[in-house]
Amino acid sequence: MQVFGPKRMTELLTADEIGRAVELLRAGELVAFGTETVYGLGADACNAQAVAAVYAAKGRPSFNPLICHFADAQTAFRYVQANALAERLAAKFWPGPLTLVLPRLPDCPVSQLAGAGLPTLAVRVPAQPVARRMLAAFGGPVVGPSANRSGRISPTNAQHVLAELGGRIAAVLDSGPCPVGVESTVLDLSGDAPVLLRPGGVTLEALQAEIGPIARASGEASAPASPGMLASHYAPGLLVRLNATALGPDEALLAFGPPLPGARLCFQLSERGDLQDAAARLFEGLHELDEKAQALGLKGIAVQPIPATGLGLAINDRLTRAAAPR
Ligand code: TXA
Ligand code: MG
């Protein structure tokens, strides 16, 4: 079946059309897939353009870090630094509705945008057999935020996904209804002690029975994505100045469109002024300018105006946080 939407057709794939799903993912397309919790909006996590398209399809006003899905723990731990607790929980609860936040390994190829520029990555091995076969065939990490538009209810069957995103994404891999129906539990194991970031399909009690006491993040699910915490995590060291129309002598330039003249250090988000290109390159750009500016004695980053429409909203949200006084 094909659903005709405003922009394109969305293919409804049956569980034996995994090859087609993988082909689309490899081509940078978006493929929603069922997990045991909810349907995820899948894309190649290493392809920043594809990840940017995920945010665009969801209409997210900000860039939350996304979960990377893998076929098994062995593959997941090639991308993040596992520790004893992670090994133990993975052995007990994977495949299943548990997501672990761990430090990225050096040279981890997952796009900065997928992790929203954080030094950590959320990884999970879902239990849904069709999803696992797709992930195994794909071989690498697949991002998968819930396959709904921003601010709407998470979809638990393929029809929900079509209603939300039909016409905006390439395909939905139909694996039937989701048995758990609430999202995975998110546990941060990147610090000194484990912290529960989001309650979900695996209970806190079950986790504690395995590894002992677990602290709960103040706030709840969205806490790590709240402005305060995000700012401390990935605000660049340099001062960020938005809507710059001229460049100060000690400023690096984050360009959008034709660059302002006179920059000693410039990172171009999108010469042709494309918001999806810019989203895909945003965190790379902030990291790179931050890294190189010091050697040149630069003290700030001037950002050229970026329209606050479509993905531009999320880009400006992120930059506003980076620019917030510290
Ligand atoms: O059940 C699920 O987890 C579903 C299915 C599709 O797998 N996926 C899902 O993904 O709920 P998403 O992107 O909607 O939720 C990601 C959660 C958010 O609460 C986010 O803040 C947190 O994980 N998260 C992701 N990366 C993180 C990181 N590096 N540090 C802290 N929290 C992170
Ligand atoms: Mg969601």
Side-chain angles (χ1 to χ4, degrees):
M1 179 180 107
Q2 297 190 319
V3 173
F4 294 85
K7 286 189 197 141
R8 61 176 309 166
M9 300 172 267
T10 295
E11 299 174 31
L12 182 60
L13 305 175
T14 63
D16 54 16
E17 292 178 288
I18 285 169
R20 175 67 181 150
V22 169
E23 179 180 282
L24 289 166
L25 288 173
R26 291 224 170 98
E29 299 277 2
L30 308 188
V31 179
F33 62 102
T35 76
E36 73 278 25
T37 60
V38 301
Y39 272 73
L41 181 51
D44 179 354
C46 300
N47 179 338
Q49 276 289 343
V51 176
V54 166
Y55 290 104
K58 284 183 65 79
R60 275 206 177 166
S62 66
F63 298 125
N64 291 341
L66 305 178
I67 297 170
C68 287
H69 297 71
F70 298 88
D72 51 58
Q74 203 192 350
T75 313
F77 293 159
R78 288 210 290 266
Y79 293 79
V80 289
Q81 180 73 59
N83 52 34
L85 289 184
E87 303 271 7
R88 188 141 165 206
L89 292 173
K92 174 86 182 176
F93 295 104
W94 280 355
L98 176 65
T99 295
L100 301 177
V101 174
L102 291 162
R104 291 168 72 113
L105 281 173
D107 304 324
C108 171
V110 170
S111 75
Q112 289 287 336
L113 184 61
L118 293 168
T120 54
L121 207 59
V123 296
R124 131 164 163 83
V125 175
Q128 217 300 327
V130 179
R132 291 191 75 198
R133 279 194 279 139
M134 182 193 82
L135 292 165
F138 183 71
V142 172
V143 295
S146 51
N148 50 278
R149 277 180 279 146
S150 183
R152 310 274 289 249
I153 300 165
S154 298
T156 51
N157 65 41
Q159 297 310 319
H160 291 162
V161 179
L162 287 175
E164 281 287 300
L165 297 173
R168 295 179 172 220
I169 64 177
V172 183
L173 179 59
D174 188 354
S175 55
C178 305
V180 177
V182 296
E183 281 93 342
S184 62
T185 304
V186 181
L187 186 68
D188 185 354
L189 294 178
S190 67
D192 295 335
V195 179
L196 181 74
L197 298 180
R198 178 176 79 182
V202 172
T203 65
L204 182 58
E205 291 81 359
L207 292 173
Q208 286 178 333
E210 200 58 26
I211 61 167
I214 295 173
R216 302 194 57 165
S218 46
E220 42 96 53
S222 58
S226 73
M229 285 185 77
L230 279 192
S232 68
H233 262 103
Y234 48 69
L238 300 178
L239 289 174
V240 175
R241 187 168 64 87
L242 300 180
N243 295 317
T245 50
L247 207 57
D250 56 359
E251 284 184 321
L253 177 64
L254 190 61
F256 181 80
L260 294 173
R264 288 160 63 206
L265 177 64
C266 172
F267 186 96
Q268 178 58 261
L269 288 173
S270 172
E271 180 92 52
R272 61 189 180 118
D274 181 85
L275 289 169
Q276 194 158 313
D277 290 346
R281 288 168 59 75
L282 176 64
F283 292 103
E284 240 86 57
L286 288 175
H287 279 293
E288 187 176 312
L289 290 180
D290 217 26
E291 242 168 63
K292 294 185 176 164
Q294 227 167 14
L296 296 169
L298 300 174
K299 297 197 169 54
I301 299 175
V303 185
Q304 288 183 244
I306 297 169
T309 55
L311 275 186
L313 268 186
I315 295 171
N316 278 300
D317 165 86
R318 177 64 198 96
L319 287 168
T320 306
R321 290 178 196 196
R326 269 158 272 147

